Amino acid sequence: MLFHIVFIVSNLGENVIMKLRRFCSLFFIFVLSCSQMLVATASAIETMEVDAKAAILVDYDSGTVLFEQNAHQELPPASLTKVMSSLLVLEAVDRGDLRMDQVITASASALVGLPWDGSNADPAIVAGEQMTVEDLLYCMLVVSANEACNILAEAVSGSVSAFVDAMNERAAALGCRNTHFANTNGLTASAHYTSAYDIWLITQAAMQYEDFRYICSATWKNIQPTNKCDHVRALHTTNSLLDGWRYAGYQYPYATGIKTGTTDAAGHCLLASATKGSRTLVSVVLGAETAPDDHGGTDIMSFRETVRLFDWGFENFTTKVVLNEEDLIQEVPVALSKETNYVVVHPAYTATAVLSNDVEPEQLERTVTLYSDTVNAPVIAGDELGAITLSYNGTEYATVPLLAMNDVTASRFLTAKYNVEHFFSLKIVKTALLILILLIIAFVAWWKMIHRQRRYGRARDRRYRHHSYRGRRF
């Protein structure tokens, strides 16, 4: 009886232990799954949507597009047009056609067609007034003076219309596919449009000039009296990310430029740059509106949305090393050498890429392209034998040349053998050999024919001599 009780208790204990173990296992799996879900949720990039018709955010150094919204839609750019105008002026200075300290006299023709209130130079630049190229650029880019664009246009191209043609030619050369300019300043016109992406391309070219970056980052500038203005013109930037003189509450501590633009047709547009640490971002916002703020006023959404874009870009993307120069990528077959039949290739340099924080370099797909399936010796260390491309979800982040790691000497015998075989494999050589063979065959046939004719002729002569005399015999 006691034995049965002990047996039942022991069986019951084993069943309890088994159930307890099963419960612990299931609980551990559940906790692990939840933690993975939490990690995945935490590492996922927050989706972004901008309250504007179009927008783009680009990492300046790498050219990586971090965000785009209707980036190729054709829209009026308002005064963002002046970035292209300033680019052509700075290129003229770079060529030596103009100097920054060169004095330009405003002509009456440069002011034709401009609205009476079309300047923020305060007072407006008038016909006959003399200003330097540098001061005119400040008027153009800091306070968006429309007449400054036309004055500089005539200085560069001789006429405003010729300058506008040059603007369109330069846009096409930069790869702008959705851009056509009708004027130098961005005033509303039916055939005047561009896209957020094209503005980025134009800005990328303009930012190569230090003068452009410096002027666009200025919060204010005093223009000294001229022959037509007896007092200092005080220019204050229209970009409220840089300074709150015009509109308070939009200043961004990392902002470095660039240009605002506003018309009834275009809405509020903003081309901006910001630098945080070693990274610089460029954003374009087109067609933003105003919205009521919390204090009964209005918010200019081009500024608000640009700040959101910058914060999102800096927080969710990081520059990471995706390829090391010391990495051994693969072996490349080598012919014509007796010492080895392969050489190892490595990246020409250490490559970095701007990746979202939920993507690690190990996740990038590597595609190796060799210039030849087999390379012939001799190979010299550093010879470029191919390239490696790193991509993720169809986006290419880097393409780096692949270099030979070491020297590989060639065998004289194998090289000579290859050269002979290669020589006789050439089409022209094969054709020449075929012609030579045909000539030899023709010569042999001709020689045989001639030889046969000669033998036949000698035999006939002998027969003729043998039968030709019929005289008497003695």
Side-chain angles (χ1 to χ4, degrees), residues 37-63:
M37 291 175 62
L38 289 173
V39 170
T41 303
S43 63
I45 297 300
E46 175 191 359
T47 58
M48 170 62 69
E49 185 175 352
V50 174
D51 187 8
K53 291 181 179 178
I56 192 170
L57 180 68
V58 186
D59 179 83
Y60 174 71
D61 291 322
S62 67

Side-chain angles (χ1 to χ4, degrees), residues 19-317:
K19 291 181 179 179
L20 183 61
R21 287 178 178 175
R22 183 178 298 175
F23 172 79
C24 290
S25 298
L26 292 174
F27 180 75
F28 175 76
I29 293 172
F30 173 76
V31 171
L32 183 61
S33 300
C34 289
S35 64
Q36 289 177 343
M37 291 175 62
L38 289 173
V39 170
T41 303
S43 63
I45 297 300
E46 175 191 359
T47 58
M48 170 62 69
E49 185 175 352
V50 174
D51 187 8
K53 291 181 179 178
I56 192 170
L57 180 68
V58 186
D59 179 83
Y60 174 71
D61 291 322
S62 67
T64 303
V65 176
L66 308 183
F67 170 83
E68 56 182 323
Q69 176 179 305
N70 302 324
H72 299 280
Q73 182 179 346
E74 296 175 356
L75 293 167
S79 287
L80 303 195
T81 302
K82 295 179 173 73
V83 176
M84 173 58 89
S85 298
S86 64
L87 172 61
L88 294 190
V89 173
L90 291 170
E91 288 178 339
V93 172
D94 196 40
R95 292 192 305 268
D97 296 340
L98 291 177
R99 300 188 319 274
M100 292 293 281
D101 62 354
Q102 183 174 334
V103 176
I104 305 297
T105 301
S107 70
S109 60
L111 309 180
V112 172
L114 296 178
W116 65 270
D117 59 348
S119 176
N120 291 317
D122 192 24
I125 305 168
V126 297
E129 186 165 3
Q130 295 179 329
M131 298 178 69
T132 64
V133 170
E134 181 178 7
D135 284 347
L136 287 167
L137 282 170
Y138 270 101
C139 290
M140 178 197 296
L141 295 171
V142 175
V143 295
S144 209
N146 294 319
E147 72 275 25
C149 302
N150 284 358
I151 296 167
L152 286 170
E154 289 187 344
V156 173
S157 300
S159 69
V160 172
S161 60
F163 188 83
V164 172
D165 290 340
M167 292 170 67
N168 287 314
E169 291 174 4
R170 191 68 177 98
L174 289 172
C176 301
R177 297 184 177 181
N178 302 97
T179 294
H180 185 270
F181 295 113
N183 55 56
T184 65
N185 42 52
L187 292 175
T188 302
S190 59
H192 193 91
Y193 55 84
T194 185
S195 67
Y197 181 76
D198 286 357
I199 291 174
W200 150 245
L201 293 179
I202 297 167
T203 305
Q204 186 181 34
M207 288 183 70
Q208 297 177 20
Y209 292 94
E210 183 179 358
D211 286 326
F212 177 84
R213 300 194 304 272
Y214 186 78
I215 293 173
C216 289
S217 66
T219 57
W220 62 274
K221 172 69 175 178
N222 284 336
I223 304 297
Q224 297 304 311
T226 69
N227 62 319
K228 296 289 185 179
C229 180
D230 59 4
H231 65 270
V232 173
R233 285 183 172 95
L235 310 182
H236 293 273
T237 182
T238 60
N239 187 351
S240 294
L241 297 187
L242 295 173
D243 183 72
W245 188 85
R246 293 178 185 273
Y247 303 105
Y250 300 108
Q251 283 182 268
Y252 189 64
Y254 309 112
T256 57
I258 299 173
K259 187 73 190 75
T260 63
T262 305
T263 63
D264 291 340
H268 291 273
C269 304
L270 178 59
L271 163 64
S273 60
T275 299
K276 185 177 183 181
S278 61
R279 294 181 58 203
T280 295
L281 302 182
V282 175
S283 71
V284 181
V285 172
L286 299 179
E289 301 295 339
T290 58
D293 64 15
D294 297 334
H295 307 288
T298 57
D299 254 349
I300 301 174
M301 297 309 295
S302 57
F303 294 127
R304 291 289 184 218
E305 294 300 86
T306 296
V307 169
R308 285 184 60 234
L309 272 174
F310 283 149
D311 285 342
W312 180 82
F314 285 128
E315 291 173 4
N316 292 295
F317 294 84

